Amino acid sequence: GNRSFSYWWTHGRWGNWGWPAGDQAMFAEEKTVPTWRASHNGLVVSGGGGGGGWLGTLSLDSPVRMLRAATLTNDSYARALGKASIVGRFGHFPGDFQGKPKHTLVWEASDFADHILPKETQTTWNTGHFWPIAGVVIDFLFTDAADKSNNTILFPSTFLAGVPFGRLYSPALGQGNVYGEHAYAWLPSGLFSSVNNSQFNWIASYSNTSVYIILLSQSFQTETVECKLNNELVAGLLPNPVEAKVWINNMNAPAMNVNNGELSVKVPAKGIAVIKLIGASPKTRLQHKILAKDMKPLSTKNSRAVLNSKGPFGTVTGMALRWGRNMTEFYAFSQANSTLWGKFVMRDEHAISHEVFDIVTLHWRIDSNEYQNYTITMFPFDVTIPLLDDCQQVSFYFSGVTSNRNEVETPQMTVFVTKAE
């Protein structure tokens, strides 16, 4: 009756969050549409899980893999199907959809994600899925650049452990290539202060001498894009014009002078334009820290400590992490269950304790300094502590108060951080 259905999983999740569900389904006018609009098979490619168990979801990885296969094999069908499942669909994150056996045209609505959550009863939200979906978007952008350039624009990538949705692109993996020139992948937020044509996606990269702007057209016709680079992110755009080398659809095009970071380029349908800003340099926020060559290595003695306990805390782990200059951290994790979420948390099969905690506290000491404390009141019981790069070691232990009011603690453990001179 002009209402979308209610997904059974949503009832439980919304209920746990204190929201009534089931009688607030989103308004959806009944209509008759062509069969393909509600086709199960047509939506499988956009589905997460085996066999399209979550139709219409944006937690998808198969379209990017299809595009990667098309890039390697020049398969036009795989290319068209992969792009159709991605392009134009990421203005919102509408959650993870349930679609077996049900389907709703509400999923097609451009304002779907603008409704309040208690009314989105035909979907469910998994807050940890935002990062995998961001990975899908990034993977698509770089794979599209590789596809449009016949693999002459290619950057190293890898999968993160346990996250199959998109490949990770990082300068830590090394340099890639832009038409035979070595460059690091770069995707900074706010690179453009203005763009006048929404038919274009973009990525960027940089070398020791230049910045590369790579424009990817999704349009079915020739388009002109006018954009202005952010002077706060690209150095060398002022006060004098910058000489730029240009490629259109992988062919040399007339060079241009770029004044004040302003670009105007005409690109054929589904084409690619590359602008090499000679003499420009990136103002990186993070990559120069990752690529710093003067960082001391982590200790080879023991930068990780694990206590395989069968007690109430379960396995306890502490480790030193170093991502780059001024990016050293200590991370500690206890397998302890919380009072609130205990029934949902799977313990190690060898654990003999089933106690749950109201409160867990991490106690830690950096080098010979005084102990500090941080208290956590719900699962997961983990803490990340920033460290100075020259820190030598961190000593730590967990204490807690169980739901039975028992006060317990783990033995003290030590993680060695910076390798001694």
Side-chain angles (χ1 to χ4, degrees), residues 17 260 317 397:
W17 291 351
N260 196 29
T317 303
Y397 66 95

Side-chain angles (χ1 to χ4, degrees), residues 1-319:
N2 291 328
R3 294 284 174 180
S4 59
F5 68 87
S6 293
Y7 175 25
W8 66 268
W9 180 264
T10 300
H11 283 274
R13 180 162 288 188
W14 279 194
N16 285 332
W17 291 351
W19 296 338
D23 58 348
Q24 299 189 51
M26 187 185 301
F27 174 82
E29 182 180 359
E30 294 185 8
K31 60 178 70 174
T32 299
V33 298
T35 303
W36 66 265
R37 290 273 294 277
S39 167
H40 183 285
N41 290 336
L43 287 169
V44 165
V45 69
S46 299
W54 292 273
L55 301 181
T57 181
L58 295 190
S59 287
L60 71 173
D61 62 327
S62 53
V64 176
R65 296 186 185 185
M66 279 188 165
L67 182 57
R68 186 175 290 273
T71 301
L72 298 174
T73 64
N74 198 28
D75 187 309
S76 59
Y77 178 72
R79 178 180 293 112
L81 196 57
K83 289 192 175 184
S85 301
I86 294 273
V87 175
R89 300 194 62 211
F90 282 88
H92 292 82
F93 171 57
D96 302 325
F97 298 160
Q98 193 272 356
K100 190 166 64 176
K102 296 183 179 181
H103 174 64
T104 174
L105 297 178
V106 168
W107 296 343
E108 300 178 359
S110 60
D111 65 343
F112 177 76
D114 296 330
H115 292 76
I116 61 173
L117 289 182
K119 290 191 176 182
E120 294 185 9
T121 56
Q122 66 294 310
T123 185
T124 182
W125 284 69
N126 293 279
T127 54
H129 288 184
F130 289 92
W131 290 116
I133 288 175
V136 167
V137 176
I138 293 171
D139 198 2
F140 173 79
L141 292 173
F142 282 97
T143 303
D144 195 27
D147 183 48
K148 291 181 185 298
S149 69
N150 300 318
N151 286 310
T152 56
I153 298 177
L154 200 61
F155 296 93
S157 61
T158 186
F159 281 110
L160 290 174
V163 183
F165 293 102
R167 298 178 69 89
L168 170 70
Y169 293 80
S170 168
L173 298 174
Q175 291 181 312
N177 283 281
V178 179
Y179 297 141
E181 302 177 11
H182 295 304
Y184 287 109
W186 191 37
L187 206 64
S189 173
L191 179 62
F192 296 97
S193 57
S194 65
V195 179
N196 78 331
N197 194 327
S198 61
Q199 294 291 336
F200 287 83
N201 293 325
W202 63 270
I203 61 173
S205 62
Y206 64 91
S207 65
N208 292 332
T209 60
S210 303
V211 170
Y212 302 82
I213 306 299
I214 302 164
L215 301 172
L216 308 165
S217 175
Q218 307 303 324
S219 177
F220 289 92
Q221 60 189 21
T222 298
E223 300 272 357
T224 296
V225 57
E226 296 178 354
C227 50
K228 187 177 187 306
L229 292 164
N230 186 345
N231 293 325
E232 295 183 358
L233 290 179
V234 182
L237 299 179
L238 294 173
N240 299 316
V242 175
E243 180 186 356
K245 186 175 181 179
V246 181
W247 294 265
I248 303 294
N249 278 1
N250 310 312
M251 302 294 291
N252 288 317
M256 66 169 67
N257 286 326
V258 177
N259 294 286
N260 196 29
E262 296 177 352
L263 304 173
S264 180
V265 187
K266 181 180 288 186
V267 185
K270 300 290 183 179
I272 179 173
V274 178
I275 300 95
K276 176 185 178 182
L277 301 170
I278 301 170
S281 59
K283 298 180 181 179
T284 59
R285 304 179 180 117
L286 178 65
Q287 293 198 7
H288 64 283
K289 297 180 180 180
I290 296 175
L291 296 171
K293 300 184 183 299
D294 57 351
M295 288 302 304
K296 296 179 180 178
L298 287 175
S299 171
T300 56
K301 183 176 182 181
N302 196 348
S303 60
R304 176 186 175 98
V306 179
L307 175 66
N308 292 311
S309 170
K310 296 182 179 181
F313 286 96
T315 300
V316 175
T317 303
M319 64 184 75

